[in-house]
Amino acid sequence: MHRSNHTRLLRRTAADRCKYCGTPIEWFERYDTLRIPLSPEFPAHPVPPRMHWHLFKGVAYPGKDPVTGYCRIPHPAICPAAEHPDLPEELRDVVARLATRMRGRIDRGEFVPYVEPVIEEQVATPDPEKVQEQRHVISYYGTLRLAPCEVHELQCISTDTRNGERCRNGVFDVEEGKWEEVDVPHAPGRQGQQILSLTGGRMWAWVIKDFNCLRRWWKQQCVDHFGSGAPDHVAFELIQFQPLLHDQYILTERPEGYDPAPVGQDIVIHDGPTGDSTVCAGPGCWHSTMGKQPAGWRCWDCERRERRRARTRRKWTRPQA
């Protein structure tokens, strides 16, 4: 991984095969932190502009490469196992060739096809390998991502440099979000109307409104690994919420047990600066406050980090039954 890359996704973990058609694909991190499977490079002029993607420092962006004039095509747009009602004329030959390869691998016993018909959205956002029965939706001002589990069970995807395994820390912090009702995204067709009728167009989601907190959630990293540069150990597990595909995870009742614990401290109204200031005792922290504080005083940020780490230690040091 080059130090100038804007992504922590290792190429060896990004190479895969489409589970619907068996075509080799490569996953790349998108500009909006989602991931997209892209084809090898094509000359851009015969490809419709809406299907142009290019890479810059390891991250996928819409449009053709301004230097080479080449582009990459999202695999869902040309997957031979998916239905393409509006397939452009220029790409029909590409899809036909991929379909021929798929049938050849099936005949040779190298690939077991997916029986049910699929749509492009399923190819673009496949579920992670391991998902729980209960899954929660995370929201940021209308952007919805579906977690592979309940929100408090979401695990960091970074590599623990001490043992080379996946980090066991959690992403969840009860102080960084809250449960709120959000709009169910519009879905076309009769099934979409049924979803709106059953839910009233509203559902419960874990809402994060602080962008600084959101960056860590969208990267699916714990506090220790966020911004550390550690490579991802597994593929990104937060996928785009699709109401037609994920309607069974729509919550119509607010989950319980997520209220933050009361602080239990008296509110102190300060008359103003006293002339003295105290610097936070946290390692490497230079936050300060006006007025003289007890020895070992820590700022609110360091206290929050310490509480989070204490919860993590209690979780993983709890004796097994």
Side-chain angles (χ1 to χ4, degrees), residues 31-202:
Y31 63 96
D32 57 359
T33 73
L34 288 173
R35 293 190 176 175
I36 182 172
L38 295 178
S39 69
E41 288 188 322
F42 285 85
H45 65 274
V47 180
R50 63 186 176 89
M51 296 183 180
H52 288 181
W53 284 78
H54 72 282
L55 301 178
F56 179 72
K57 293 187 176 181
V59 178
Y61 294 89
K64 65 180 180 180
D65 192 309
V67 178
T68 64
Y70 278 63
C71 72
R72 292 175 181 260
I73 303 175
H75 176 71
I78 55 176
C79 178
E83 299 176 354
H84 304 287
D86 56 348
L87 183 67
E89 182 72 27
E90 300 87 346
L91 297 180
R92 291 182 180 177
D93 182 62
V94 176
V95 176
R97 290 174 181 269
L98 292 178
T100 301
R101 293 181 183 179
M102 180 180 71
R103 287 193 295 269
R105 297 189 70 237
I106 293 174
D107 294 340
R108 294 191 299 270
E110 299 174 357
F111 174 66
V112 178
Y114 199 79
V115 178
E116 299 179 3
V118 297
I119 57 178
E120 291 186 13
E121 287 77 8
Q122 288 175 277
V123 183
T125 57
D127 281 334
E129 293 184 2
K130 297 180 180 179
V131 297
Q132 295 184 4
E133 183 177 355
Q134 295 291 332
R135 303 171 67 181
H136 288 164
V137 176
I138 303 172
S139 171
Y140 175 75
Y141 290 104
T143 301
L144 303 179
R145 304 282 170 84
L146 180 64
C149 55
E150 294 178 293
V151 68
H152 65 276
E153 296 288 346
L154 190 61
Q155 185 179 350
C156 176
I157 63 172
S158 296
T159 301
D160 191 334
T161 55
R162 295 170 297 182
N163 52 27
E165 300 294 332
R166 179 177 179 176
C167 174
R168 300 178 65 185
N169 293 338
V171 177
F172 179 74
D173 187 337
V174 71
E175 298 177 358
E176 294 181 349
K178 61 180 179 179
W179 287 102
E180 291 184 3
E181 279 191 301
V182 299
D183 292 331
V184 177
H186 170 72
R190 180 176 298 178
Q191 186 180 354
Q193 291 298 322
Q194 291 177 344
I195 294 174
L196 291 178
S197 299
L198 293 174
T199 62
R202 303 283 286 176

Side-chain angles (χ1 to χ4, degrees), residues 244-256:
L244 294 181
L245 300 178
H246 308 129
D247 57 309
Q248 68 269 36
Y249 304 117
I250 294 179
L251 297 180
T252 56
E253 296 183 1
R254 184 185 187 278
E256 298 180 354

Side-chain angles (χ1 to χ4, degrees), residues 1 5 7-19 23-30 34-40 55 58-60 72 75 123-124 126 129 157 159 231-236:
M1 180 184 299
N5 269 15
T7 175
R8 300 294 99 187
L9 179 62
L10 296 176
R11 288 294 90 209
R12 67 170 181 265
T13 61
D16 198 2
R17 284 186 178 270
C18 175
K19 72 175 185 178
T23 301
I25 56 176
E26 275 193 286
W27 289 92
F28 292 92
E29 187 172 326
R30 294 181 7 165
L34 288 173
R35 293 190 176 175
I36 182 172
L38 295 178
S39 69
L55 301 178
V59 178
R72 292 175 181 260
H75 176 71
V123 183
E129 293 184 2
I157 63 172
T159 301
D232 295 346
H233 188 76
V234 297
F236 193 62

